[in-house]
Amino acid sequence: MGCRHYNSEYDVVLNRCSTCGEFWACHLCHAEATEHPFGRMPLDAPDSTRCGACGLLMGYAEYSAQPRCPGCGHPFNPGCSLHAGIYFDL
């Protein structure tokens, strides 16, 4: 899991692009592979984020409320919150 841009053991979150509907490890991987900007997901979308460790789908509130996956307990990268505005319509 992960990508060449963000590849620590904590980089397991995949975010869905609202434009193409696909999950991506990061916005930079998306930019390299597509010809459209990353479409930010609405805050109330129930399936905007996926844990790459167990596959659990989460909405923004569920994902951002805790430092680890509520399904498998895998820790998330705390630095991901710095990029929330790229992935979610805040």
Side-chain angles (χ1 to χ4, degrees):
M1 193 18 266
C3 66
R4 67 185 184 97
H5 307 102
Y6 303 99
N7 55 18
S8 80
E9 63 186 286
Y10 303 111
D11 292 312
V12 298
V13 172
L14 299 162
N15 290 295
R16 185 186 300 262
C17 169
S18 68
T19 305
C20 62
E22 299 294 324
F23 284 96
W24 296 88
C26 84
H27 64 100
L28 298 171
C29 287
H30 177 271
E32 291 172 357
T34 68
E35 295 185 12
H36 61 269
F38 198 98
R40 296 179 296 165
M41 291 293 289
L43 293 180
D44 61 352
D47 58 354
S48 58
T49 305
R50 175 183 287 160
C51 174
C54 73
L56 179 73
L57 291 173
M58 300 166 270
Y60 176 75
E62 189 177 15
Y63 161 64
S64 64
Q66 48 209 335
R68 54 188 62 245
C69 176
C72 68
H74 194 290
F76 295 147
N77 185 335
C80 288
S81 63
L82 299 173
H83 303 125
I86 294 171
Y87 303 109
F88 303 101
D89 193 17
L90 299 178

